[in-house]
Amino acid sequence: MSEAAAAAGTANGDGERAGPRLGAAVRRRRRVLELTLAEVARRTGLSVPFLSQIENDRARPSMRSLQLIADGLGTTAVDLLAAADAEGRPVDLVRAEDPAGLSPDAGVRPLVRGRRRLHALEFTGEHRADREFLHPDDELMYVVDGAAEVETEGRIHRLRRGDTLYLAGGVRHRWRSTRPDTRLLVVAVSDHVTGALPGDTARPGRTVS
């Protein structure tokens, strides 16, 4: 997946909302942890120049790269996306063409902006089951188009268009799309609402689906 640099979204001539400042959110989190770019590079396997471009909003990461960064910073990709756009409007319209802060070919679009009581993501295209996910609260997966497979604690669930899968908090899972035209919606209670599971001290393992 390409990691080509691209300018961050800005307010347009009609006064629409500016694009999310994902780089600033990454930089704030890194500074809270008192880490250098070189230390984050070692944790993530990403290069210092690329990380610098992201922090300065001169490059947009793929979702995979953002997950690596979140792991290295002890947080989640969803938390970084939420921190990038924290206006918190009581009524917030998200247009299909609104910038998400990710690379154009990321195949992921946040449907809820800012730190809310729930988050929602739309995944399109091919996504691999190369990560295991764990969330402290409940999650719903809905296949809008195409098909997907979800593995939950050793069991495979094959989902087709129109199917939903409910996952209670604490259920470990991984998923992948099985058709290139897949469009999958994930809605979940935000991690920051209730905090970590009892005994869960390894936040890097709790990544976004």
Side-chain angles (χ1 to χ4, degrees), residues 16 38-39 69 73 79 97 109 123 147 171-172 183 206:
E16 292 292 328
E39 288 170 325
I69 293 169
L73 296 178
D79 279 347
E97 65 273 13
R109 184 169 73 95
F123 294 83
V171 174
R172 296 183 180 275
R183 186 154 61 104
R206 289 186 15 247

Side-chain angles (χ1 to χ4, degrees), residues 5-186:
T10 57
N12 62 32
D14 297 326
E16 292 292 328
R17 188 176 186 155
R21 297 297 305 276
L22 183 56
V26 171
R27 183 168 57 250
R28 285 195 300 270
R29 177 64 182 174
R30 175 176 64 81
R31 288 178 174 174
V32 164
L33 298 177
E34 299 182 345
L35 296 173
T36 65
L37 281 173
E39 288 170 325
V40 177
R42 284 194 294 272
R43 291 184 177 198
T44 63
L46 302 173
S47 69
V48 169
F50 180 56
L51 289 170
S52 177
Q53 287 180 326
I54 290 173
E55 286 199 359
N56 289 285
D57 289 310
R58 292 196 299 267
R60 294 176 179 172
S62 67
M63 192 62 175
R64 175 60 175 165
S65 292
L66 185 61
Q67 287 174 330
L68 289 173
I69 293 169
D71 287 351
L73 296 178
T75 184
T76 68
V78 166
D79 279 347
L80 290 176
L81 287 169
D85 195 336
E87 269 189 56
R89 297 180 178 183
V91 177
D92 189 20
L93 172 63
V94 180
R95 299 286 187 186
E97 65 273 13
D98 284 351
L102 298 167
S103 64
D105 59 351
V108 183
R109 184 169 73 95
L111 304 181
V112 175
R113 294 185 284 206
R115 291 179 67 82
R116 306 289 190 171
R117 295 187 64 83
L118 63 81
H119 69 74
L121 295 171
E122 178 189 61
F123 294 83
T124 56
E126 297 185 11
H127 291 273
R128 299 173 298 174
D130 56 354
R131 296 175 70 89
E132 182 180 72
F133 304 108
L134 173 64
H135 308 289
D137 249 305
D138 300 357
E139 178 176 332
L140 180 74
M141 307 180 77
Y142 169 62
V143 179
V144 181
D145 285 305
E149 287 185 352
V150 184
E151 179 183 349
T152 58
E153 300 176 333
R155 182 178 178 186
I156 302 295
H157 304 271
R158 294 178 175 83
L159 309 182
R160 301 183 299 275
R161 179 180 178 181
D163 289 349
T164 63
L165 181 67
Y166 182 89
L167 300 169
V171 174
R172 296 183 180 275
H173 60 283
R174 63 178 72 236
W175 72 273
R176 70 182 183 95
S177 54
T178 54
R179 284 175 41 179
D181 62 342
T182 296
R183 186 154 61 104
L184 185 140
L185 178 65
V186 176

